[in-house]
Amino acid sequence: VAERTTDLVRANEVLQEREARYRHLVDHAQEIIYRMDPDGRIVYFNPTAVRVTSYAREELMGRHYLDLVDADHRHAVAEFYARQLQLKTPATSHEFPLLAKDGRVIWLSQNVHLLLDNDRVAGLQAIARDITERKQMEQALREAHDKLEQLVEARTAELKQTVSRLSNEIAEREQAEAALRDSQEQIRQMQKMEAIGQLAGGIAHDFNNLLTAILGNADIAVSKMHEDDPARPNLVRIVEAGHRASDVVQQILTFTRQQDAARSVVALAPIVMDALTLLRATLPAGVELGYAADPDMPPVLANATQMHQVLMNLCTNAWHALGDGPGHISVDLAAVTLEEPLISPQGTVAPGYYAC
């Protein structure tokens, strides 16, 4: 019996020694160590839990674990523990925010062990490590990442705007350069037309002097011939042809003459007839030229030379629009009455009676 008692005493001493070492390890551990009953109430915790949470021992003992969880995560944590109790998972890892007494949110990473007693759940035991600093760094990284994304998006938008602005500026510059080239080409064409007009005017003037001499001598010859002279009809035809040529020369001189833009009351029909006579001599044989005029045309206040040039330009454009093929150009002269204002890029024409 004495020997049995001695063994029991030694065994008890070994157990007490082991328990003392275990308690020393638990009490001085850097991690939070706690235990809960099946209802979720805290039945044990080490000093680190008191230090980290700032709660007194009597405030933690018997308290439900959900009271220490941040409100935003309380539902998720409750579901986690309920799942552990239902599945009877031996051990698992979990991260959740703990609410300290002073209001600080402390993030814990813990390993949870299910305590079983003959297949009956006796509670939960957890070893938790403070990962608040890591979470803060992760949050800072996320915020920095979000801020960087915002900066990248803002910079990308600025670059897109810059590219769009540069594209518009390039397009505007190209349009301006194209307009400049067109203007320069128009100026060259105008200079060519001016030079051709001056040349044509000079030639027409010289030719008119020759025609004057020819017609003067032909008229004198006709006046000295007898009516039955066989050469008289030939001279008469020469005189008629010379007068037609003189009319054409006068039209050329009218078209090329540089005059002031003084306006006067003129009839449009003679101007149109003169222009069409000149056009018929220049248009190809396959292009027909038609003309219709209102007999009751009123006179207009205009510059005869400018009206002549306008009609020549319109008909020349019509001829170019026909291309190389045959076609028909029709010129109509009529009186019109505008009931409403006529609006155009060049201005607005008030209602009234007009020549068209």
Side-chain angles (χ1 to χ4, degrees):
V1 174
E3 184 178 354
R4 178 65 176 169
T5 301
T6 302
D7 291 339
L8 289 175
V9 170
R10 289 178 179 177
N12 187 46
E13 291 176 352
V14 171
L15 288 175
Q16 289 179 355
E17 183 180 352
R18 289 179 178 177
E19 183 179 354
R21 287 200 303 267
Y22 171 75
R23 185 171 297 277
H24 182 272
L25 289 174
V26 171
D27 289 345
H28 293 81
Q30 297 297 318
E31 291 80 10
I32 296 175
I33 300 175
Y34 67 96
R35 187 180 299 168
M36 298 185 305
D37 62 16
D39 295 330
R41 297 193 177 277
I42 300 173
V43 297
Y44 172 79
F45 52 89
N46 65 345
T48 304
V50 176
R51 177 175 55 82
V52 171
T53 64
S54 300
Y55 285 101
R57 295 186 62 84
E58 59 271 14
E59 292 177 315
L60 288 176
M61 185 62 70
R63 192 164 189 169
H64 199 280
Y65 75 92
L66 286 178
D67 294 341
L68 304 177
V69 178
D70 178 69
D72 295 337
H73 299 81
R74 196 166 293 168
H75 180 71
V77 173
E79 284 188 344
F80 167 77
Y81 280 117
R83 188 165 56 252
Q84 305 310 308
L85 294 173
Q86 181 180 3
L87 300 177
K88 295 182 180 180
T89 305
T92 185
S93 298
H94 177 55
E95 292 182 0
F96 74 99
L98 180 71
L99 192 61
K101 185 177 181 178
D102 57 5
R104 291 178 297 112
V105 176
I106 304 168
W107 276 92
L108 299 179
S109 175
Q110 64 179 6
N111 290 323
V112 179
H113 299 267
L114 194 64
L115 301 178
L116 299 176
D117 184 9
N118 294 327
D119 201 35
R120 183 181 63 84
V121 177
L124 290 169
Q125 180 174 292
I127 301 176
R129 180 168 51 89
D130 186 354
I131 59 170
T132 304
E133 185 176 353
R134 192 196 79 188
K135 284 290 186 178
Q136 291 174 347
M137 292 180 62
E138 291 176 353
Q139 179 65 23
L141 285 174
R142 283 193 296 269
E143 293 176 354
H145 179 267
D146 294 342
K147 186 175 181 180
L148 181 60
E149 283 190 342
Q150 293 175 358
L151 290 174
V152 170
E153 290 178 357
R155 184 56 178 165
T156 301
E158 291 178 0
L159 290 175
K160 287 182 178 179
Q161 293 178 354
T162 302
V163 171
S164 177
R165 185 172 63 253
L166 290 175
S167 299
N168 293 335
E169 290 178 356
I170 292 173
E172 292 175 357
R173 180 175 179 178
E174 290 177 349
Q175 292 176 355
E177 291 177 350
L180 178 60
R181 289 193 296 270
D182 292 341
S183 299
Q184 291 174 343
E185 181 62 25
Q186 291 177 1
I187 292 174
R188 285 193 292 269
Q189 292 297 329
M190 291 174 61
Q191 291 173 344
K192 289 180 181 179
M193 292 300 295
E194 183 179 359
I196 292 173
Q198 292 176 352
L199 178 61
I203 295 173
H205 188 271
D206 292 340
F207 187 59
N208 188 57
N209 293 335
L210 295 175
L211 282 176
T212 300
I214 293 172
L215 288 174
N217 287 286
D219 286 336
I220 293 173
V222 170
S223 63
K224 292 181 178 182
M225 282 185 175
H226 295 288
E227 293 292 337
D228 57 353
D229 192 312
R232 182 181 175 84
N234 294 330
L235 282 176
V236 171
R237 284 193 289 273
I238 290 174
V239 172
E240 292 174 352
H243 284 295
R244 288 196 297 271
S246 179
D247 293 338
V248 172
V249 170
Q250 290 301 321
Q251 291 169 7
I252 294 175
L253 290 173
T254 300
F255 183 68
T256 58
R257 188 178 300 125
Q258 298 294 327
Q259 295 180 346
D260 294 333
R263 296 185 298 173
S264 60
V265 177
V266 295
L268 288 177
I271 298 175
V272 174
M273 290 301 298
D274 288 343
L276 294 182
T277 300
L278 182 59
L279 281 168
R280 283 194 179 94
T282 58
L283 292 177
V287 177
E288 298 179 359
L289 188 61
Y291 172 61
D294 188 343
D296 297 328
M297 277 298 302
V300 297
L301 183 64
N303 180 274
T305 301
Q306 288 182 343
M307 297 304 298
H308 192 280
Q309 291 175 349
V310 166
L311 186 59
M312 291 293 294
N313 289 336
L314 288 173
C315 292
T316 301
N317 291 341
W319 171 27
H320 291 164
L322 292 175
D324 297 331
H328 181 83
I329 300 174
S330 177
V331 178
D332 296 333
L333 187 61
V336 296
T337 301
L338 291 181
E339 302 293 342
E340 296 180 356
L342 179 63
I343 301 175
S344 71
Q346 288 73 33
T348 301
V349 180
Y353 188 56
Y354 293 94
C356 177

Coordinates of all heavy atoms in Angstrom, one line a residue, residues 266-337:
V266 N -31.7 97.8 -117.0 CA -31.4 97.2 -118.3 C -32.4 96.0 -118.5 O -33.1 95.6 -117.6 CB -30.0 96.5 -118.3 CG1 -28.9 97.6 -118.2 CG2 -29.8 95.6 -117.1
A267 N -32.6 95.7 -119.7 CA -33.4 94.5 -120.1 C -32.5 93.3 -120.2 O -31.4 93.3 -120.7 CB -34.1 94.7 -121.4
L268 N -33.0 92.2 -119.6 CA -32.1 91.0 -119.5 C -32.1 90.2 -120.8 O -31.1 89.5 -121.1 CB -32.6 90.1 -118.4 CG -32.4 90.5 -117.0 CD1 -33.0 89.6 -115.9 CD2 -30.9 90.7 -116.7
A269 N -33.2 90.3 -121.6 CA -33.3 89.4 -122.8 C -32.1 89.7 -123.8 O -31.5 88.7 -124.3 CB -34.6 89.6 -123.5
P270 N -31.8 91.0 -124.1 CA -30.7 91.2 -125.0 C -29.3 90.6 -124.4 O -28.5 90.1 -125.2 CB -30.6 92.7 -125.2 CG -32.0 93.2 -124.9 CD -32.5 92.2 -123.8
I271 N -29.2 90.8 -123.1 CA -27.9 90.3 -122.5 C -27.9 88.8 -122.6 O -26.8 88.2 -123.0 CB -27.9 90.7 -121.0 CG1 -27.9 92.2 -120.9 CG2 -26.7 90.1 -120.3 CD1 -27.9 92.7 -119.5
V272 N -29.0 88.1 -122.4 CA -29.0 86.6 -122.5 C -28.7 86.2 -123.9 O -28.0 85.3 -124.2 CB -30.4 86.1 -122.0 CG1 -30.5 84.6 -122.3 CG2 -30.5 86.4 -120.5
M273 N -29.4 86.9 -124.9 CA -29.2 86.5 -126.3 C -27.7 86.7 -126.7 O -27.1 85.9 -127.4 CB -30.1 87.4 -127.2 CG -31.5 87.1 -127.1 SD -31.9 85.4 -127.5 CE -31.4 85.4 -129.2
D274 N -27.0 87.8 -126.2 CA -25.6 88.0 -126.6 C -24.8 86.9 -126.0 O -23.9 86.4 -126.6 CB -25.2 89.4 -126.0 CG -25.7 90.5 -126.8 OD1 -26.2 90.3 -127.9 OD2 -25.7 91.7 -126.3
A275 N -25.0 86.5 -124.7 CA -24.3 85.5 -124.1 C -24.5 84.1 -124.8 O -23.5 83.4 -125.0 CB -24.6 85.4 -122.6
L276 N -25.7 83.8 -125.1 CA -26.0 82.5 -125.8 C -25.4 82.5 -127.2 O -24.9 81.4 -127.6 CB -27.5 82.3 -125.9 CG -28.2 82.1 -124.5 CD1 -29.7 81.9 -124.8 CD2 -27.6 81.0 -123.7
T277 N -25.3 83.6 -127.9 CA -24.7 83.7 -129.2 C -23.2 83.3 -129.1 O -22.6 82.6 -129.9 CB -24.9 85.0 -129.8 OG1 -26.3 85.3 -130.0 CG2 -24.2 85.1 -131.2
L278 N -22.5 83.9 -128.0 CA -21.1 83.6 -127.8 C -20.9 82.1 -127.4 O -20.0 81.5 -127.8 CB -20.6 84.5 -126.7 CG -19.1 84.4 -126.4 CD1 -18.2 84.6 -127.6 CD2 -18.7 85.4 -125.3
L279 N -21.9 81.6 -126.6 CA -21.8 80.2 -126.1 C -21.9 79.3 -127.3 O -21.2 78.2 -127.4 CB -22.8 79.9 -125.1 CG -22.5 80.4 -123.6 CD1 -23.7 80.3 -122.8 CD2 -21.4 79.6 -123.1
R280 N -22.8 79.5 -128.2 CA -23.0 78.6 -129.3 C -21.8 78.4 -130.2 O -21.6 77.4 -130.8 CB -24.2 79.1 -130.2 CG -25.6 78.9 -129.6 CD -26.7 79.1 -130.7 NE -28.0 78.8 -130.1 CZ -28.8 79.8 -129.6 NH1 -28.4 81.0 -129.6 NH2 -30.0 79.5 -129.1
A281 N -20.9 79.5 -130.2 CA -19.7 79.4 -131.0 C -18.6 78.6 -130.3 O -17.6 78.2 -130.9 CB -19.2 80.8 -131.3
T282 N -18.8 78.3 -128.9 CA -17.8 77.6 -128.2 C -18.2 76.2 -127.7 O -17.3 75.4 -127.5 CB -17.4 78.5 -126.9 OG1 -18.6 78.7 -126.1 CG2 -16.8 79.8 -127.3
L283 N -19.5 76.0 -127.6 CA -20.0 74.7 -127.2 C -19.7 73.6 -128.3 O -19.8 73.9 -129.5 CB -21.4 74.7 -126.8 CG -21.8 75.5 -125.6 CD1 -23.3 75.5 -125.4 CD2 -21.1 75.0 -124.3
P284 N -19.5 72.3 -127.9 CA -19.3 71.3 -128.9 C -20.6 71.1 -129.6 O -21.7 71.4 -129.2 CB -19.0 70.0 -128.0 CG -18.5 70.6 -126.7 CD -19.2 71.9 -126.5
A285 N -20.5 70.4 -130.8 CA -21.7 70.2 -131.6 C -22.7 69.3 -130.9 O -23.9 69.4 -131.2 CB -21.2 69.5 -133.0
G286 N -22.3 68.4 -130.0 CA -23.2 67.5 -129.4 C -24.0 68.1 -128.3 O -24.9 67.5 -127.7
V287 N -23.7 69.3 -127.9 CA -24.4 70.0 -126.8 C -25.4 71.0 -127.4 O -25.0 71.9 -128.1 CB -23.4 70.7 -125.9 CG1 -24.2 71.5 -124.8 CG2 -22.4 69.8 -125.3
E288 N -26.7 70.8 -127.1 CA -27.8 71.6 -127.6 C -28.0 72.8 -126.6 O -27.9 72.6 -125.4 CB -29.1 70.9 -127.8 CG -29.0 69.8 -128.8 CD -30.3 69.0 -129.0 OE1 -31.2 69.4 -128.2 OE2 -30.3 68.1 -129.8
L289 N -28.3 73.9 -127.1 CA -28.5 75.1 -126.2 C -29.9 75.6 -126.5 O -30.2 76.1 -127.6 CB -27.5 76.2 -126.5 CG -27.4 77.4 -125.6 CD1 -27.1 77.0 -124.2 CD2 -26.4 78.4 -126.1
G290 N -30.8 75.5 -125.5 CA -32.2 76.0 -125.6 C -32.4 77.3 -124.8 O -31.7 77.6 -123.9
Y291 N -33.4 78.0 -125.3 CA -33.7 79.3 -124.7 C -35.2 79.6 -124.7 O -35.8 79.4 -125.8 CB -32.9 80.4 -125.4 CG -33.3 81.8 -124.9 CD1 -33.1 82.2 -123.6 CD2 -33.8 82.7 -125.8 CE1 -33.5 83.5 -123.2 CE2 -34.2 84.0 -125.5 CZ -34.0 84.4 -124.1 OH -34.3 85.6 -123.7
A292 N -35.8 80.0 -123.6 CA -37.2 80.4 -123.6 C -37.3 81.6 -122.7 O -36.7 81.7 -121.6 CB -38.0 79.2 -123.0
A293 N -38.1 82.6 -123.2 CA -38.2 83.9 -122.4 C -39.6 84.3 -122.3 O -40.4 84.1 -123.2 CB -37.4 85.0 -123.2
D294 N -39.9 84.9 -121.2 CA -41.3 85.5 -120.9 C -41.4 86.8 -121.6 O -40.5 87.7 -121.4 CB -41.4 85.6 -119.4 CG -42.9 86.0 -119.0 OD1 -43.6 86.4 -119.9 OD2 -43.2 85.8 -117.8
P295 N -42.3 87.0 -122.5 CA -42.4 88.3 -123.2 C -42.7 89.5 -122.3 O -42.4 90.6 -122.7 CB -43.6 88.1 -124.2 CG -44.4 86.9 -123.6 CD -43.4 86.1 -122.9
D296 N -43.2 89.2 -121.1 CA -43.6 90.3 -120.2 C -42.5 90.5 -119.2 O -42.8 91.0 -118.0 CB -44.9 90.0 -119.5 CG -46.1 89.9 -120.5 OD1 -46.0 90.6 -121.5 OD2 -47.0 89.1 -120.2
M297 N -41.3 90.2 -119.5 CA -40.2 90.4 -118.6 C -40.0 91.9 -118.2 O -39.9 92.7 -119.1 CB -38.9 89.9 -119.1 CG -38.7 88.4 -119.0 SD -38.6 87.9 -117.3 CE -37.2 88.8 -116.7
P298 N -39.9 92.2 -116.9 CA -39.6 93.6 -116.5 C -38.2 93.9 -116.6 O -37.3 93.0 -116.5 CB -40.1 93.6 -115.1 CG -39.9 92.2 -114.6 CD -40.1 91.3 -115.7
P299 N -37.8 95.1 -116.8 CA -36.4 95.5 -116.7 C -35.9 95.4 -115.2 O -36.7 95.4 -114.3 CB -36.3 97.0 -117.1 CG -37.7 97.5 -116.8 CD -38.6 96.3 -117.0
V300 N -34.6 95.3 -115.1 CA -34.0 95.1 -113.8 C -32.9 96.1 -113.5 O -32.3 96.7 -114.5 CB -33.4 93.7 -113.6 CG1 -34.5 92.6 -113.7 CG2 -32.3 93.4 -114.6
L301 N -32.5 96.3 -112.3 CA -31.4 97.2 -111.9 C -30.2 96.3 -111.7 O -30.1 95.6 -110.7 CB -31.8 98.0 -110.6 CG -30.7 99.0 -110.2 CD1 -30.6 100.1 -111.2 CD2 -31.1 99.6 -108.8
A302 N -29.3 96.3 -112.7 CA -28.1 95.4 -112.6 C -27.0 96.0 -113.5 O -27.2 97.0 -114.2 CB -28.5 94.0 -113.1
N303 N -25.9 95.3 -113.3 CA -24.7 95.7 -114.2 C -24.7 94.7 -115.3 O -24.6 93.5 -115.1 CB -23.4 95.5 -113.3 CG -22.2 95.9 -114.2 OD1 -21.6 95.0 -114.8 ND2 -21.8 97.1 -114.1
A304 N -24.8 95.2 -116.6 CA -24.9 94.3 -117.7 C -23.8 93.4 -117.9 O -23.9 92.2 -118.2 CB -25.1 95.2 -119.0
T305 N -22.5 93.9 -117.7 CA -21.3 93.0 -117.8 C -21.3 91.9 -116.8 O -21.0 90.8 -117.1 CB -20.1 93.9 -117.7 OG1 -20.1 94.9 -118.7 CG2 -18.8 93.0 -117.9
Q306 N -21.7 92.2 -115.6 CA -21.7 91.2 -114.5 C -22.8 90.1 -114.8 O -22.6 88.9 -114.7 CB -22.0 91.8 -113.2 CG -20.8 92.6 -112.6 CD -21.1 93.1 -111.2 OE1 -22.2 93.2 -110.8 NE2 -20.0 93.6 -110.5
M307 N -24.0 90.6 -115.3 CA -25.0 89.6 -115.7 C -24.6 88.7 -116.8 O -24.8 87.5 -116.8 CB -26.3 90.3 -116.0 CG -26.9 91.1 -114.9 SD -27.2 90.1 -113.4 CE -28.4 89.0 -114.0
H308 N -23.8 89.3 -117.8 CA -23.3 88.5 -118.9 C -22.3 87.5 -118.4 O -22.4 86.3 -118.8 CB -22.6 89.5 -119.8 CG -22.3 88.9 -121.2 ND1 -21.1 88.1 -121.3 CD2 -22.9 89.0 -122.4 CE1 -21.1 87.7 -122.6 NE2 -22.1 88.2 -123.2
Q309 N -21.5 87.9 -117.4 CA -20.5 86.9 -116.9 C -21.1 85.8 -116.1 O -20.7 84.7 -116.1 CB -19.5 87.7 -116.0 CG -18.6 88.6 -116.8 CD -17.7 89.5 -115.9 OE1 -17.8 89.5 -114.7 NE2 -16.7 90.1 -116.5
V310 N -22.2 86.2 -115.3 CA -22.9 85.2 -114.5 C -23.5 84.1 -115.4 O -23.3 82.9 -115.2 CB -24.0 85.9 -113.7 CG1 -25.0 84.8 -113.1 CG2 -23.4 86.7 -112.5
L311 N -24.1 84.5 -116.5 CA -24.8 83.6 -117.4 C -23.7 82.7 -118.1 O -23.9 81.5 -118.3 CB -25.6 84.3 -118.4 CG -26.5 83.4 -119.3 CD1 -27.4 82.5 -118.5 CD2 -27.3 84.2 -120.3
M312 N -22.6 83.3 -118.5 CA -21.5 82.6 -119.1 C -21.0 81.5 -118.1 O -20.7 80.4 -118.5 CB -20.4 83.5 -119.5 CG -20.8 84.4 -120.7 SD -21.0 83.5 -122.3 CE -19.4 82.9 -122.6
N313 N -20.8 81.9 -116.9 CA -20.3 81.0 -115.9 C -21.3 79.8 -115.6 O -20.9 78.6 -115.5 CB -20.0 81.7 -114.5 CG -18.8 82.6 -114.6 OD1 -17.9 82.4 -115.5 ND2 -18.7 83.6 -113.8
L314 N -22.5 80.1 -115.5 CA -23.5 79.1 -115.3 C -23.6 78.1 -116.4 O -23.6 76.9 -116.2 CB -24.9 79.7 -115.1 CG -25.2 80.5 -113.8 CD1 -26.5 81.2 -113.8 CD2 -25.1 79.5 -112.6
C315 N -23.6 78.6 -117.6 CA -23.7 77.7 -118.8 C -22.4 76.9 -118.9 O -22.4 75.7 -119.4 CB -24.0 78.5 -120.0 SG -25.6 79.2 -120.1
T316 N -21.2 77.5 -118.6 CA -20.0 76.8 -118.7 C -19.9 75.7 -117.7 O -19.5 74.6 -118.0 CB -18.8 77.8 -118.5 OG1 -18.8 78.8 -119.5 CG2 -17.5 77.0 -118.6
N317 N -20.4 75.9 -116.5 CA -20.5 74.9 -115.5 C -21.4 73.8 -115.9 O -21.1 72.6 -115.7 CB -21.0 75.5 -114.1 CG -20.0 76.4 -113.5 OD1 -18.8 76.3 -113.8 ND2 -20.4 77.2 -112.6
A318 N -22.5 74.1 -116.5 CA -23.5 73.1 -117.0 C -22.8 72.3 -118.1 O -23.0 71.0 -118.2 CB -24.7 73.8 -117.6
W319 N -22.0 72.9 -119.0 CA -21.3 72.2 -120.0 C -20.3 71.2 -119.4 O -20.2 70.0 -119.8 CB -20.6 73.2 -120.9 CG -19.6 72.6 -121.9 CD1 -19.7 71.4 -122.5 CD2 -18.5 73.3 -122.5 NE1 -18.6 71.2 -123.3 CE2 -17.9 72.4 -123.4 CE3 -18.0 74.5 -122.4 CZ2 -16.8 72.7 -124.1 CZ3 -16.8 74.9 -123.1 CH2 -16.2 73.9 -124.0
H320 N -19.5 71.7 -118.4 CA -18.6 70.8 -117.7 C -19.3 69.6 -117.0 O -18.8 68.5 -116.9 CB -17.7 71.6 -116.7 CG -16.8 72.5 -117.4 ND1 -16.2 73.6 -116.7 CD2 -16.4 72.6 -118.6 CE1 -15.4 74.2 -117.5 NE2 -15.5 73.7 -118.7
A321 N -20.5 69.9 -116.5 CA -21.2 68.8 -115.8 C -21.7 67.7 -116.8 O -21.9 66.6 -116.4 CB -22.5 69.4 -115.1
L322 N -21.9 68.1 -118.0 CA -22.2 67.1 -119.1 C -21.1 66.1 -119.4 O -21.3 65.0 -119.9 CB -22.7 67.8 -120.3 CG -24.0 68.6 -120.3 CD1 -24.2 69.3 -121.6 CD2 -25.2 67.7 -119.9
G323 N -19.9 66.5 -119.1 CA -18.7 65.7 -119.4 C -18.5 65.7 -120.9 O -18.7 66.7 -121.6
D324 N -18.0 64.6 -121.4 CA -17.6 64.5 -122.9 C -18.8 64.1 -123.7 O -18.7 64.1 -125.0 CB -16.5 63.5 -123.0 CG -15.2 63.9 -122.3 OD1 -15.0 65.2 -122.2 OD2 -14.4 63.0 -121.9
G325 N -19.9 63.7 -123.1 CA -21.0 63.2 -123.9 C -21.9 64.3 -124.4 O -21.7 65.5 -124.0
P326 N -22.9 64.0 -125.2 CA -23.9 65.0 -125.7 C -24.8 65.4 -124.5 O -24.9 64.7 -123.5 CB -24.6 64.3 -126.8 CG -24.5 62.8 -126.5 CD -23.2 62.7 -125.8
G327 N -25.6 66.5 -124.7 CA -26.5 66.9 -123.7 C -27.3 68.1 -124.1 O -27.1 68.6 -125.3
H328 N -28.0 68.6 -123.2 CA -28.9 69.8 -123.5 C -28.8 70.8 -122.4 O -28.9 70.4 -121.2 CB -30.3 69.4 -123.7 CG -31.2 70.5 -124.1 ND1 -31.4 71.0 -125.4 CD2 -32.1 71.3 -123.3 CE1 -32.2 72.0 -125.4 NE2 -32.7 72.2 -124.1
I329 N -28.5 72.0 -122.7 CA -28.5 73.1 -121.7 C -29.7 74.0 -122.0 O -29.8 74.5 -123.1 CB -27.2 73.9 -121.7 CG1 -26.0 73.0 -121.4 CG2 -27.2 75.1 -120.7 CD1 -24.6 73.6 -121.6
S330 N -30.5 74.3 -121.0 CA -31.7 75.1 -121.2 C -31.6 76.3 -120.4 O -31.3 76.3 -119.2 CB -33.0 74.3 -120.9 OG -34.1 75.1 -121.0
V331 N -31.9 77.5 -121.0 CA -31.8 78.8 -120.3 C -33.2 79.4 -120.4 O -33.8 79.6 -121.5 CB -30.8 79.8 -120.9 CG1 -30.9 81.1 -120.1 CG2 -29.4 79.2 -120.8
D332 N -33.9 79.6 -119.2 CA -35.2 80.2 -119.1 C -35.2 81.5 -118.5 O -34.5 81.7 -117.4 CB -36.2 79.2 -118.4 CG -36.3 77.9 -119.1 OD1 -36.2 77.9 -120.3 OD2 -36.6 76.9 -118.4
L333 N -35.9 82.5 -119.0 CA -36.0 83.8 -118.4 C -37.5 84.1 -118.2 O -38.3 84.1 -119.1 CB -35.4 84.8 -119.4 CG -35.3 86.3 -118.9 CD1 -34.4 86.4 -117.7 CD2 -34.7 87.2 -120.0
A334 N -37.8 84.4 -116.9 CA -39.2 84.5 -116.6 C -39.4 85.5 -115.4 O -38.4 85.7 -114.6 CB -39.9 83.2 -116.2
A335 N -40.6 86.0 -115.2 CA -40.9 86.9 -114.1 C -41.6 86.0 -113.0 O -42.5 85.2 -113.3 CB -41.9 88.0 -114.6
V336 N -41.2 86.2 -111.8 CA -41.7 85.4 -110.7 C -42.1 86.4 -109.6 O -41.6 87.5 -109.4 CB -40.7 84.4 -110.2 CG1 -40.4 83.4 -111.2 CG2 -39.5 85.1 -109.6
T337 N -43.1 85.9 -108.8 CA -43.5 86.7 -107.6 C -43.3 85.8 -106.3 O -43.8 84.7 -106.2 CB -45.0 87.0 -107.7 OG1 -45.2 87.8 -108.8 CG2 -45.5 87.8 -106.4

